[in-house]
Amino acid sequence: MKNLVIFGAPGSGKGTQSDLLVKRYGFKHISTGDVLRGEIKNGTELGKTAKNYIDNGQLIPDSLMIDILASTYDSLCPCDGVIFDGFPRTIPQAEALKKMLADRNTEVSAMLELDVPKEELISRLINRGKTSGRADDNEETIQKRLTVYKNQTSPLIDWYTSEGICHSVKGIGSLEEIEAALCKVIDEL
Ligand code: AMP
């Protein structure tokens, strides 16, 4: 079984590439952003709490996210593989993921980083905002999310590098080129 973390800033193409990898390999996909938006849509208590953070471009507290992640994972497994998209976003989340998988006799097989320049991220997210209907795809919140990424999430690149499983892939070019670069890493695992 493969556990893959697809990693990158907001707008780096994690969701798009996850969909392609799901089609190709039959993996399950856990997008914590999608899980939270589902909770908001259903008007749950969790959704109400999450909405304030999401609309402000801030991260939901780790303790809450870790519980959601474990129950989502258990609802999908056993399976051939899982793609974690949007999780982990902090070092405590990465440590919790490592422990959660170890408790289930498995581990993260690879962290796949999509590397995209900041200007490109901003223009992609502004464009996405025209059709996504996402309250957080506006210029002010985009800037906040990119700052949160830089301060809280990007240190995970060093963290996974020290685990020996960080693979960086150029996240610009055609969808097919980016997918091929990811597949090359996955097929060599
Ligand atoms: P995304 O769809 O991955 O861009 O996530 C949208 C928003 O959901 C983020 O800006 C956060 O507010 C929240 N979120 C998603 N995943 C996480 C996570 N792993 N930890 C904390 N907050 C998260």
Side-chain angles (χ1 to χ4, degrees):
M1 154 160 206
K2 289 192 171 98
N3 294 293
L4 303 170
V5 170
I6 191 150
F7 186 86
S12 59
K14 300 186 295 294
T16 306
Q17 289 298 328
S18 294
D19 290 343
L20 295 173
L21 296 176
V22 164
K23 280 203 193 102
R24 183 174 294 270
Y25 295 98
F27 295 150
K28 304 285 186 193
H29 176 208
I30 302 179
S31 156
T32 44
D34 284 350
V35 171
L36 295 168
R37 283 184 287 275
E39 296 284 333
I40 294 174
K41 206 168 150 212
N42 292 330
T44 65
E45 280 308 311
L46 171 61
K48 284 179 199 152
T49 308
K51 188 172 175 2
N52 293 323
Y53 291 100
I54 293 179
D55 288 356
N56 277 309
Q58 302 301 317
L59 298 182
I60 277 75
D62 286 337
S63 54
L64 214 55
M65 285 313 303
I66 290 162
D67 287 350
I68 299 169
L69 202 264
S71 59
T72 309
Y73 185 83
D74 289 337
S75 72
L76 296 175
C77 290
C79 62
D80 289 342
V82 172
I83 302 175
F84 296 92
D85 162 7
F87 190 102
R89 264 177 152 97
T90 62
I91 288 177
Q93 288 184 15
E95 286 165 346
L97 177 61
K98 187 174 178 176
K99 180 171 184 310
M100 182 196 92
L101 293 176
D103 288 346
R104 290 156 178 78
N105 292 317
T106 184
E107 62 187 359
V108 175
S109 324
M111 183 269 226
L112 308 164
E113 187 218 348
L114 293 169
D115 186 18
V116 177
K118 189 174 175 195
E119 293 317 309
E120 171 74 13
L121 296 170
I122 295 172
S123 89
R124 283 187 192 176
L125 289 167
I126 288 174
N127 261 326
R128 186 173 83 183
K130 291 176 188 157
T131 54
S132 69
R134 278 180 56 165
D136 58 348
D137 279 344
N138 64 75
E139 214 161 336
E140 191 191 336
T141 315
I142 289 167
Q143 290 293 353
K144 283 193 199 160
R145 287 158 67 203
L146 291 175
T147 303
V148 166
Y149 172 78
K150 184 165 172 277
N151 294 339
Q152 299 190 55
T153 306
S154 70
L156 286 172
I157 297 172
D158 282 348
W159 195 89
Y160 277 111
T161 300
S162 66
E163 294 275 300
I165 55 171
C166 176
H167 302 264
S168 190
V169 160
K170 204 167 78 167
I172 47 172
S174 70
L175 292 184
E176 293 77 16
E177 281 167 346
I178 301 166
E179 185 192 8
L182 293 172
C183 290
K184 186 166 182 292
V185 177
I186 294 169
D187 293 340
E188 284 170 5
L189 289 174

